[in-house]
Amino acid sequence: MSGMVTWQAEDEVGLEGARVLIGQTGFRALGRVVRTGPNRELTASYRLTVNEDRVVERLSVTAATADRERHLTMNRTEDGYWLLDDGSGSTRSDFGGAVDVDLERSPLFNTLPIRRLNLHREAGEHVIPVLFVSLPSLSVELVDRRYRTVSVSDGTSPAVVNCSSGDFSADLTVDADGIVAHYPGLARRVGAIEPVA
């Protein structure tokens, strides 16, 4: 399945739009996050590839503010290492075995562990390492996240998956494909996924 999906920000003025291609297990997305506000205006574009093992294979992000433009490319090798390149040099690390990435201010990226762990279809609870990419700095930090199924989708009603880390906790509403529809306080999807011909 392929389609266009859009979220409207709840915490400030902004949108995220992405073209997603969803396979049985693989996943690809090409999207953009735009946010405005006092001293917080930014735009960021990303290209994401998740392989057939439901593991992030590659993420490329460009973030821009009025002052500066930054680039980051993250590739995961077959032997489990991450290669990060921001244009000024590269880093190689296993980052604690992390296979998921979260881009700040993007509800789409929480879809990755939810789909990989099938939490929208089967009840479960997992604490996993996640590479968190900050916007607009594109700094990368390893964080622990807990994902726990609150309710499973029955095909007509959405699933709810709790995401927590430290003092933070949010119940994410997720559709039958595992794509986040509502991230309270961050963004809400506008309409259904619009199929691409």
Side-chain angles (χ1 to χ4, degrees), residues 13-154:
V13 177
L15 290 171
E16 177 178 359
R19 182 178 193 266
V20 295
L21 289 86
I22 304 170
Q24 284 294 104
T25 52
F27 186 93
R28 296 179 66 180
L30 176 64
R32 179 176 298 277
V33 175
V34 178
R35 294 296 176 99
T36 64
N39 303 315
R40 296 179 60 144
E41 292 190 345
L42 71 90
T43 181
S45 59
Y46 59 81
R47 183 179 296 270
L48 169 71
T49 303
V50 176
N51 67 22
E52 293 302 318
D53 294 326
R54 300 183 181 186
V55 169
V56 174
E57 188 173 88
R58 179 179 170 86
L59 172 63
S60 177
V61 185
T62 298
T65 61
D67 299 331
R68 186 171 175 190
E69 183 175 310
R70 296 174 175 90
H71 305 278
L72 175 67
T73 301
M74 305 172 65
N75 289 291
R76 191 166 188 278
T77 64
E78 289 183 8
D79 59 353
Y81 281 85
W82 286 94
L83 304 175
L84 277 59
D85 187 352
D86 63 3
S88 64
S90 59
T91 305
R92 183 178 190 267
S93 174
D94 70 351
F95 285 106
V99 296
D100 296 299
V101 177
D102 184 16
L103 182 65
E104 186 177 11
R105 301 182 184 175
S106 169
L108 175 76
F109 282 77
N110 282 278
T111 293
L112 307 181
I114 291 170
R115 281 181 53 85
R116 182 174 63 78
L117 300 168
N118 215 27
L119 293 173
H120 57 302
R121 295 189 176 137
E122 300 171 6
E125 182 172 353
H126 303 269
V127 177
I128 59 172
V130 174
L131 291 179
F132 180 74
V133 181
S134 297
L135 287 178
S137 69
L138 299 185
S139 61
V140 178
E141 176 187 7
L142 181 63
V143 298
D144 285 331
R145 290 271 176 82
R146 180 183 304 273
Y147 286 90
R148 176 181 55 84
T149 305
V150 175
S151 64
V152 176
S153 173
D154 61 7

